[in-house]
Amino acid sequence: MNKLNKLFIVIPTLIVLVLSGCGKYEDGPGISIRTKNGRLEGKWKVTSIKYERNDPVEPIYSESFNFNGSVMTETSNEPVFDPITFEITGYSMVSDSYTFSETMEFDTKDNTCIQSTTDDGVSSVTTQLWTWNDGAKSKEILDIAGMGSMIVKKLTNKELHLFQDYTENGAYSMIEYKLEKIK
């Protein structure tokens, strides 16, 4: 193999290796031809939501929500009362499931997000403003009014993964959204 042929193999390999480590998205893509606005623009269907809140100080506020694409399951603590003193003697985990659906439509011209939700048969539509958090260096952060700052873990033409976690007064909360583009 001559030197020119080796260069045609070595240079593309080096470019791929360098670019694969440059992505801002934990779950991909490492590189994309389309801009982040070009990928975000459009209507997205929420396919999964995972929310957990663990509050060791006030266990009544510990809860979780899990959405599997059609059913939302909510689990929370309910206090158990002493029948004589009416004081809280402990907590009991209670679970409830109901139909749920949600879409988010991002418009990159006016930075609006139309969120349409059907929660146990009750529909609602809200319009919120969104923006990219330009202060984020190693991660892409999407600020959505009403939802807060979300880390963008994946942004392709077809998939969007959003993540947020925080700790406040000993309580830990985490939420993760997975969405698929529908138009």
Side-chain angles (χ1 to χ4, degrees):
M1 186 179 282
N2 67 31
K3 288 183 183 182
L4 189 58
N5 286 343
K6 285 182 185 178
L7 283 177
F8 282 121
I9 293 171
V10 172
I11 290 176
T13 303
L14 287 174
I15 291 172
V16 167
L17 288 173
V18 169
L19 291 177
S20 67
C22 295
K24 286 191 170 192
Y25 308 109
E26 186 175 311
D27 297 338
I31 190 167
S32 176
I33 296 171
R34 295 185 72 188
T35 67
K36 61 186 178 185
N37 277 355
R39 287 175 277 155
L40 183 65
E41 176 86 27
K43 191 170 186 176
W44 298 83
K45 175 184 176 184
V46 177
T47 59
S48 171
I49 300 173
K50 291 182 183 174
Y51 170 77
E52 296 177 10
R53 178 178 166 85
N54 182 5
D55 192 333
V57 177
E58 297 188 56
I60 196 165
Y61 296 116
S62 294
E63 61 187 357
S64 68
F65 294 85
N66 287 298
F67 174 61
N68 67 6
S70 61
V71 175
M72 178 73 78
T73 301
E74 176 183 346
T75 305
S76 59
N77 279 328
E78 283 197 8
V80 175
F81 294 95
D82 181 287
I84 297 170
T85 64
F86 297 107
E87 291 183 14
I88 296 174
T89 59
Y91 295 91
S92 174
M93 294 299 288
V94 178
S95 186
D96 186 27
S97 295
Y98 46 90
T99 58
F100 183 87
S101 67
E102 182 173 0
T103 61
M104 301 172 106
E105 187 166 2
F106 290 92
D107 185 324
T108 58
K109 291 171 189 56
D110 62 5
N111 284 46
T112 57
C113 174
I114 300 171
Q115 193 172 10
S116 302
T117 305
T118 301
D119 189 348
D120 202 17
V122 178
S123 297
S124 65
V125 177
T126 57
T127 301
Q128 303 170 97
L129 295 176
W130 69 270
T131 186
W132 293 107
N133 183 336
D134 293 330
K137 296 290 182 210
S138 63
K139 302 272 186 206
E140 282 294 350
I141 307 287
L142 187 60
D143 290 323
I144 305 171
M147 292 178 68
S149 297
M150 306 289 284
I151 295 170
V152 180
K153 285 193 158 192
K154 185 172 196 171
L155 178 57
T156 67
N157 295 335
K158 302 277 184 205
E159 291 181 272
L160 174 61
H161 297 179
L162 302 173
F163 178 81
Q164 177 188 77
D165 68 341
Y166 57 94
T167 302
E168 181 180 3
N169 299 327
Y172 172 76
S173 295
M174 177 280 300
I175 189 164
E176 180 177 62
Y177 280 83
K178 292 187 178 181
L179 303 95
E180 289 179 358
K181 189 172 272 186
I182 54 178
K183 87 175 189 184

